[in-house]
Amino acid sequence: MEECFDIYTEEREWIGQATRREVHEKGYWHQTFHCWVLHQTDQGTYLLLQLRHPTKDTHPNQLDVSCAGHLSAGETVKEGIRELKEELGLEVAFDDLHPLGMYKGSDEGTDGIRDNEFCHVFLYVRDSEPLEDYQPQLDEVSGLFLIEVDELRQVMEHSVQPVQVQGFTWDDTGKKALSEKSITLSDLVNKGETYYQLLFNYLNESVIGTSQED
């Protein structure tokens, strides 16, 4: 059975339910769960980027937020935490997440896809566990990379200078390989300046600012 989503007006009034295909064909507004994973190490503060699988219907082979997924019909934002388990293999309590806010975004994808989302954005702080401890969902995620916070900001500010990121890639059989990529803005799913302001404002006020004061 095809997955169904709750659908809304642009003013976020619930109007019913529709299949995933209908939602993307007709541009219905729907809800998604996004979570950035932050690694704090002796070497610096890094964000986790996932490399989207080449078969994804939107933005294949691009780097994206650590974890993201649609909320199914009847599902609450709190229940969206299942995405961390499904996509990354992380067992996390919802109370361990830091809410960053909601972003209202529109995206015209390939093959006529119209993706209109209310994105509920969170942050999860995960100390210095190595990338190889992750267990990515292989039909969704084909790689994981760490990028230093200031370097991601540099990329989002349209710097022409490429940034090096290191991580792992997985093939569909689960075989893992070390990987290094040189990336610019075109390599990332660009969700717009307002979306990234939610992330950077929180990091400046609550994470990076605190560590600097210490």
Side-chain angles (χ1 to χ4, degrees):
M1 181 179 295
E2 188 174 357
E3 188 177 14
C4 287
F5 305 146
D6 288 315
I7 56 175
Y8 301 83
T9 66
E10 191 172 352
E11 291 72 36
R12 210 177 161 211
E13 297 174 348
W14 185 84
I15 55 175
Q17 297 178 348
T19 65
R20 182 189 186 100
R21 177 181 54 81
E22 291 171 325
V23 164
H24 287 154
E25 282 182 355
K26 299 180 180 180
Y28 289 128
W29 286 89
H30 55 289
Q31 297 193 100
T32 57
F33 173 92
H34 288 202
C35 187
W36 289 91
V37 179
L38 186 81
H39 281 239
Q40 292 182 308
T41 73
D42 293 338
Q43 290 73 42
T45 305
Y46 297 84
L47 287 160
L48 182 71
L49 296 172
Q50 70 158 260
L51 181 64
R52 294 169 64 84
H53 195 273
T55 62
K56 296 287 288 184
D57 56 0
T58 58
H59 306 291
N61 290 317
Q62 283 194 288
L63 294 165
D64 201 2
V65 56
S66 315
C67 170
H70 293 83
L71 296 184
S72 298
E75 197 169 35
T76 66
V77 175
K78 185 174 182 178
E79 290 172 308
I81 199 169
R82 62 173 171 77
E83 292 289 344
L84 281 162
K85 174 63 176 175
E86 292 174 6
E87 288 196 354
L88 300 177
L90 294 180
E91 293 277 5
V92 178
F94 185 77
D95 289 343
D96 291 335
L97 303 185
H98 303 271
L100 307 188
M102 189 190 75
Y103 171 73
K104 181 179 171 184
S106 296
D107 183 23
E108 295 287 336
T110 57
D111 299 324
I113 290 175
R114 298 162 58 200
D115 203 11
N116 293 317
E117 298 182 350
F118 298 112
C119 305
H120 301 273
V121 189
F122 297 87
L123 178 80
Y124 173 61
V125 180
R126 191 176 191 238
D127 297 330
S128 58
E129 289 86 347
L131 278 181
E132 50 262 44
D133 285 357
Y134 285 91
Q135 298 175 344
Q137 186 176 2
L138 297 179
D139 60 349
E140 296 277 344
V141 180
S142 56
L144 294 172
F145 294 86
L146 290 176
I147 185 168
E148 205 275 329
V149 169
D150 285 340
E151 290 187 334
L152 179 60
R153 194 194 313 270
Q154 174 184 325
V155 172
M156 298 316 302
E157 289 174 351
H158 304 269
S159 171
V160 295
Q161 191 71 23
V163 169
Q164 296 294 123
V165 296
Q166 294 182 335
F168 289 93
T169 56
W170 285 262
D171 65 19
D172 288 341
T173 69
K175 185 178 179 180
K176 176 175 59 182
L178 280 167
S179 181
E180 184 172 327
K181 296 174 69 71
S182 179
I183 67 169
T184 60
L185 185 63
S186 62
D187 295 295
L188 276 77
V189 178
N190 192 351
K191 303 182 188 315
E193 183 178 348
T194 303
Y195 176 91
Y196 289 99
Q197 281 177 347
L198 291 176
L199 174 64
F200 291 128
N201 287 347
Y202 184 87
L203 291 175
N204 288 341
E205 295 171 6
S206 303
V207 178
I208 297 175
T210 300
S211 62
Q212 289 174 343
E213 289 171 6
D214 295 342

